[in-house]
Amino acid sequence: MDKKTINAASAGTISFGGELSVHRLGFGAMRLTGDGVWGPPKNHKAALAVLRRAVELGINFIDTADSYGPYVNEELIAEALFPYPAGLVIATKGGWNRPGPGQWTHDATPAHLRQAVEGSLKRLRVDRIDVYQLHIPDPVVSFDASMETLAQLREAGKIRLVALSNVTQEHIERARKIVPIVSVQNRYSFADREWDYIVDYCERSRLGFIPWFPLGAGKVAGDVLNAVAQAQGASPIQVALAWLLRRSSAMLPIPGTSSIEHLEENVAAASLRLTQEEYEKLAGVPQLVESR
Ligand SMILES: NC(=O)c1ccc[n+]([C@@H]2O[C@H](COP(=O)([O-])OP(=O)(O)OC[C@H]3O[C@@H](n4cnc5c(N)ncnc54)[C@H](OP(=O)(O)O)[C@@H]3O)[C@@H](O)[C@H]2O)c1
């Protein structure tokens, strides 16, 4: 595809709670850190260039978290893009502590979430966070207490919209009794459909569904993916992204990369259309995780 015609807008748009509208292909910034999602990226300049190119390619939804780096990822986004272009939505998250590379420990206590939101506001250089996601429910903290804290931070004007990640339907329903929820971010791909019923729930309830690890595939899935990719004259990752976009109008994939070449390849998938047969073939591959 001609590089000039690559644009995330080709994926259509999705609304967050009827308040914010973004193109349905975003960017996950997590990879722009050091190994183990720890410390600075190997090439600082290249990481800034990836973020700037993402915006040039029509991406107006960027996913990050205070725990990526930690802190490094949010700081990079601000360094690359502040003052932010109109319409750019940055979604961050809180609920983890990071004791070291590759290590993640839960902390969704009210005190931690309050501190985390203050930190994200400073690092992102904003007065209000567009979309704040509870990164994951904390097994030893009352889920309602975590959500009530986010509701209070929203009331205080520090968060515009509240969202969830790594949750079940029960979590979503409980959260919605406390505060309006605009999206859910769970692991999902054509070969990893444990959360199929959450995708359907989100579509019915007009919430966004943000799949992370959109390329997850086993060997058989890889073979089917390669065959479809060859027929389409596309790459396997483009086919995996096109499958997600077709799966539901609620879907907002956020493929992550540290390379401009891969970024362009991923955004080009916004205009790739699978046939019904290709879609079904991919939907039928053995699953990595047992379906519920
Ligand atoms: N909510 C959560 O708990 C959670 C968990 C994990 C991730 N996330 C979010 O989801 C986003 C996406 O997830 P992810 O980064 O784990 O998975 P991903 O986007 O599926 O995969 C990223 C990996 O694929 C490679 N890649 C990307 N585009 C490629 C291409 N066109 N060709 C070949 N390789 C390519 C990247 O390497 P290169 O850098 O070499 O391109 C990287 O190693 C993250 O950035 C983060 O924002 C959320």
Side-chain angles (χ1 to χ4, degrees):
M1 180 183 281
D2 179 355
K3 279 193 182 172
K4 284 192 200 118
T5 61
I6 298 176
N7 200 293
S10 306
T13 57
I14 186 164
S15 161
F16 280 94
E19 281 199 42
L20 295 170
S21 175
V22 298
H23 298 144
R24 217 156 61 83
L25 190 76
F27 179 72
M30 185 182 81
R31 300 282 164 175
L32 303 178
T33 58
D35 290 343
V37 196
W38 187 262
K42 281 193 188 92
N43 186 334
H44 183 83
K45 265 196 178 157
L48 296 176
V50 167
L51 286 161
R52 292 178 182 138
R53 183 75 182 127
V55 170
E56 274 171 20
L57 292 170
I59 285 181
N60 55 8
F61 180 83
I62 297 180
D63 179 76
T64 182
D66 64 348
S67 51
Y68 299 165
Y71 313 140
V72 168
N73 210 240
E74 291 179 330
E75 284 163 359
L76 263 182
I77 290 170
E79 184 182 348
L81 301 173
F82 187 85
Y84 301 116
L88 178 67
V89 173
I90 298 173
T92 192
K93 321 181 195 75
W96 285 115
N97 271 323
R98 296 298 313 279
Q103 294 173 14
W104 306 73
T105 54
H106 289 279
D107 194 348
T109 54
H112 174 84
L113 289 176
R114 285 181 188 286
Q115 216 178 30
V117 166
E118 290 301 336
S120 292
L121 284 166
K122 280 204 190 81
R123 286 184 293 275
L124 291 171
R125 305 185 208 165
V126 293
D127 298 329
R128 185 172 65 157
I129 293 164
D130 290 330
V131 179
Y132 196 85
Q133 306 160 97
L134 178 69
H135 208 144
I136 187 168
D138 183 331
V140 298
V141 171
S142 146
F143 178 70
D144 287 8
S146 300
M147 295 318 300
E148 277 156 14
T149 306
L150 296 186
Q152 287 157 11
L153 290 162
R154 179 172 168 268
E155 281 294 305
K158 293 177 190 273
I159 293 173
R160 182 165 184 181
L161 299 167
V162 178
L164 296 168
S165 179
N166 300 305
V167 287
T168 61
Q169 184 168 330
E170 191 199 342
H171 287 121
I172 307 170
E173 286 173 348
R174 273 172 58 191
R176 292 177 87 193
K177 289 192 180 130
I178 297 168
V179 62
I181 296 297
V182 295
S183 61
V184 175
Q185 181 173 150
N186 279 5
R187 198 185 67 197
Y188 188 81
S189 73
F190 75 96
D192 181 0
R193 307 234 310 274
E194 180 182 9
W195 302 111
D196 249 340
Y197 78 100
I198 298 286
V199 176
D200 295 334
Y201 175 90
C202 286
E203 189 176 306
R204 280 197 309 276
S205 315
R206 296 182 186 276
L207 308 184
F209 182 88
I210 304 172
W212 61 266
F213 200 37
L215 191 54
K219 180 160 180 351
V220 181
D223 290 346
V224 178
L225 196 59
N226 286 333
V228 175
Q230 208 168 16
Q232 280 276 358
S235 71
I237 192 166
Q238 288 176 322
V239 170
L241 292 168
W243 187 90
L244 285 168
L245 290 169
R246 185 172 173 143
R247 165 68 178 83
S248 168
S249 57
M251 195 76 72
L252 166 56
I254 48 165
T257 179
S258 54
S259 124
I260 289 196
E261 198 188 334
H262 288 168
L263 174 71
E264 288 171 349
E265 181 182 335
N266 298 348
V267 178
S271 56
L272 182 65
R273 303 285 181 262
L274 300 182
T275 64
Q276 184 63 23
E277 195 190 345
E278 289 168 336
Y279 174 81
E280 281 167 14
K281 221 156 116 188
L282 285 159
V285 302
Q287 294 296 294
L288 287 180
V289 180
E290 282 288 300
S291 280
R292 281 161 187 255

